[in-house]
Amino acid sequence: MECYRILTEVERKAIGSICFLAGPITFLQNALVLCVIASSATLRKRPSYLFIGSLALADVFASCFFTISFLDFHLFHGSDGPDVYLFKLGGVTMAYTGSVASLLLTALDRYLCIHQASSYKALLTRRRALLSLLVLWSTTAFISFLPLMGWRCPTGLTPPCSRLFPYVNSAYMACWTSLILVLMVLIMVAYAMILWRAHRHESTMTKLQATSKTGHSRRRMDIRLARTFSLILLILVGCWLPALSFMLVDVSMSLNRTQQRAFAFCGTLCLVNSAVNPLLYALRCRELRIALMRLLQRLCGIGRCKAPPEELSSGLPSGDNITASSEEEMPRTRHNRHTLQPE
């Protein structure tokens, strides 16, 4: 196992600081999102927030499993046997696979909201959303614990199949890495389709505008969408691609110690992505922020923590669901439904 413990004392301190900082922040942010969704009967009925809740749950798992197992292995030099190590690794794999898969469901939900605006609520019911989450987590758990169930390195550690993960079969790692890359490509395709649809919608609305001022405001909606989705995809790819690249290279060739150390730092970027997800997908939603203020009001009681009257009086909108990063960056389906019909 010493060939995997390659970090110097300075590198262990640096990675330890990242994990001790990002781990609790990731846990607290995502736990807050789960508490807000669970406390609101309105949000619990909405498929969009069920998918956001699934993402938050996966990131909570990531903050626990990755931080504990990573620190135990690299900082405290834990001496687990093959079964215990693969069980811990399976927890990390399940968390990250569930996180990326939940991001895909969120992207598909947004695509359906735009592309099938008139039939969105009939197509994506709460029951279908729960069924998709059940399939997602069942499949994720099965794939993640395949090494523990027997798909492991046939030679053990003499010689090892991978220079990044002990006891892991290189074929399994190649399949899992390819799966994550496919999920990321599907996410990018979904957002590209949303932007294409939004651009067509804006072009149609521009022709219908009577005043140039309103027309200019509407023309910039697809630009705001492009900026938001570009930020989302940039963070996703920037956090995941370095680690996935090292894993693909490890399948085809033996990594040296410098590359192993670089992978250890790249692995922490996946945890950073889990810390950023609540800010990108949950806390930007106006309805969830209102639910958060209501929860704080119930917890704090009457007085200092009371939310502004104008926000509480507005309540949660009862119209069609808009699954956007922010309310201002997606077209309002119930007002523009006639322009969003499929041609």
Side-chain angles (χ1 to χ4, degrees), residues 32-270:
L32 176 62
V33 172
L34 287 174
C35 290
V36 172
I37 294 176
S39 66
S40 172
T42 303
L43 298 185
R44 290 198 305 269
K45 296 177 182 178
R46 306 276 283 275
S48 307
Y49 290 99
L50 292 178
F51 297 149
I52 292 177
S54 173
L55 175 63
L57 179 63
D59 289 335
V60 165
F61 288 157
S63 66
C64 297
F65 294 146
F66 177 83
T67 304
I68 293 174
S69 61
F70 194 84
L71 292 178
D72 178 63
F73 186 82
H74 285 289
L75 266 69
F76 305 117
H77 292 175
S79 56
D80 298 324
D83 291 337
V84 176
Y85 175 82
L86 291 175
F87 177 78
K88 291 181 179 180
L89 182 63
V92 177
T93 305
M94 182 183 68
Y96 283 139
T97 308
S99 179
V100 178
S102 297
L103 290 178
L104 176 60
L105 286 182
T106 302
L108 293 177
D109 173 59
R110 294 174 175 180
Y111 171 75
L112 284 177
C113 182
I114 296 298
H115 190 69
Q116 300 289 342
S118 60
S119 57
Y120 169 80
K121 298 179 79 172
L123 285 174
L124 190 59
T125 62
R126 184 174 185 269
R127 182 176 180 178
R128 289 178 179 175
L130 291 174
L131 180 60
S132 66
L133 290 177
L134 177 62
V135 173
L136 182 152
W137 282 103
S138 300
T139 306
T140 296
F142 175 75
I143 293 175
S144 302
F145 290 100
L146 280 175
L148 182 63
M149 292 186 284
W151 194 3
R152 62 182 69 181
C153 181
T155 59
L157 298 177
T158 54
C161 295
S162 168
R163 287 289 178 177
L164 298 179
F165 302 101
Y167 311 113
V168 174
N169 192 302
S170 57
Y172 171 81
M173 189 163 63
C175 292
W176 185 82
T177 306
S178 301
L179 172 63
I180 299 299
L181 288 173
V182 168
L183 293 178
M184 291 175 60
V185 170
L186 291 176
I187 291 172
M188 289 187 280
V189 169
Y191 281 129
M193 294 296 292
I194 292 174
L195 289 176
W196 174 75
R197 188 69 181 180
H199 178 71
R200 290 186 60 191
H201 168 69
E202 286 302 297
S203 299
T204 302
M205 292 303 299
T206 300
K207 299 176 182 178
L208 300 176
Q209 297 307 312
T211 63
S212 60
K213 181 178 180 180
T214 306
H216 177 72
S217 176
R218 287 193 171 277
R219 281 195 299 271
R220 296 202 60 84
M221 188 275 293
D222 54 349
I223 299 178
R224 294 198 302 271
L225 270 180
R227 290 173 178 173
T228 300
F229 292 157
S230 297
L231 176 62
I232 290 174
L233 295 178
L234 179 63
I235 293 176
L236 176 66
V237 173
C239 290
W240 275 97
L241 193 58
L244 295 176
S245 300
F246 276 108
M247 293 173 70
L248 286 178
V249 173
D250 184 52
V251 172
S252 58
M253 58 179 292
S254 180
L255 300 181
N256 57 41
R257 297 178 69 86
T258 302
Q259 293 168 328
Q260 287 177 285
R261 289 198 294 268
F263 173 77
F265 282 93
C266 292
T268 60
L269 291 178
C270 300

